[in-house]
Amino acid sequence: APIIRPLWWVSPTDQDALAVGNQFLVGETLLVAPVLLPGTTEIDIYLPEGTWHDEINDKDWDGRQWLKSYKVELHQIATFTQARTIGT
């Protein structure tokens, strides 16, 4: 399996995960949502199935939801670690 994976790798039947092209997983437990446009400080982030820990805000989020207009400072990269194994 590749180390860099699309979101659908962990949620192959999730239509939102299938459509996301600007986020990726490192392994199965680290989700990265980079800001791709210069000067942008808000992005929409999709969290696939599972529970994800927001490393910027130190908060847990349930998966299968969008975080709309998520604030990211220019010096930050939005990363989330999986707080529990998918399917448990």
Side-chain angles (χ1 to χ4, degrees), residues 6 10 13 16 23 25 29 31 34 36 39 42 45 47 53-54 57-58 62 67 69-70 75 79-80 82 84-85 87:
V10 295
T13 61
D16 285 320
Q23 299 171 210
L25 296 161
T29 60
L31 185 148
L36 300 177
E42 289 184 355
I45 298 173
L47 300 175
H53 184 75
D54 179 342
N57 297 305
D58 193 26
D62 289 329
L67 304 180
S69 300
Y70 181 90
H75 66 280
T79 56
F80 298 79
Q82 192 171 35
R84 69 170 187 233
T85 305

Side-chain angles (χ1 to χ4, degrees), residues 23-64:
Q23 299 171 210
F24 59 90
L25 296 161
V26 178
E28 291 185 6
T29 60
L30 178 63
L31 185 148
V32 181
V35 173
L36 300 177
L37 299 173
T40 302
T41 58
E42 289 184 355
I43 57 174
D44 293 341
I45 298 173
Y46 183 71
L47 300 175
E49 181 180 338
T51 300
W52 296 90
H53 184 75
D54 179 342
E55 297 297 334
I56 290 176
N57 297 305
D58 193 26
K59 178 179 178 179
D60 287 343
W61 296 93
D62 289 329
R64 296 194 72 131

